[in-house]
Amino acid sequence: QLLSAKPRVRRGEVTPLHRFSSRADPNAYTRPTRIEGEDDLLHMWELPDFGDKDVENASAKALGQHDAELLLSYLTVPYLRIPLVVSFFSSEDCIHLLQVPKLQALLDAVLFEPGSFLP
């Protein structure tokens, strides 16, 4: 068996573009649907709710469909991603959403993960 630097891909899977998947990529939250741009996101029937808001009330989802669509559409714009996501979480309606671990990881990834930006 030969050693190879290429990742193993099962039949029907898309070959990854990066070694480690980014949490700031909307595709990390919409699997198996692939998001190339905002249009793909707008045609989805069901968007992720990012888990439960608090432990006591398990039926309360962290984000509704409107807020999930807004947040994921912000992730499709690489150069404006940081100010849009920070302004989303800085409003009084959404600051409490940072209690959810998935949304904490999303904000952390948007702020601190390096991207492939052009000069």
Side-chain angles (χ1 to χ4, degrees):
Q1 191 177 42
L2 296 173
L3 291 175
S4 175
K6 294 180 183 177
R8 290 186 184 174
V9 179
R10 294 185 186 132
R11 185 173 295 164
E13 287 185 353
V14 178
T15 305
L17 301 175
H18 303 287
R19 176 176 278 182
F20 302 105
S21 62
S22 172
R23 289 271 193 204
D25 183 21
N27 293 307
Y29 306 102
T30 59
R31 284 195 179 104
T33 306
R34 180 123 177 99
I35 302 295
E36 296 293 329
E38 190 176 1
D39 291 337
D40 298 330
L41 185 66
L42 296 176
H43 291 295
M44 288 184 64
W45 284 98
E46 188 136 345
L47 296 169
D49 55 17
F50 292 94
D52 297 328
K53 195 184 310 185
D54 51 10
V55 178
E56 296 88 21
N57 189 4
S59 63
K61 299 300 179 188
L63 287 178
Q65 293 291 300
H66 178 280
D67 288 334
E69 178 183 326
L70 195 64
L71 183 60
L72 289 174
S73 67
Y74 290 164
L75 296 180
T76 63
V77 190
Y79 290 103
L80 293 174
R81 182 181 297 167
I82 293 174
L84 289 173
V85 171
V86 168
S87 68
F88 176 81
F89 284 115
S90 66
S91 69
E92 289 185 27
D93 299 347
C94 297
I95 189 72
H96 66 279
L97 294 174
L98 290 174
Q99 296 174 345
V100 180
K102 280 187 181 179
L103 293 173
Q104 287 176 8
L106 184 143
L107 181 63
D108 184 57
V110 166
L111 291 176
F112 299 113
E113 280 185 6
S116 56
F117 295 109
L118 298 173

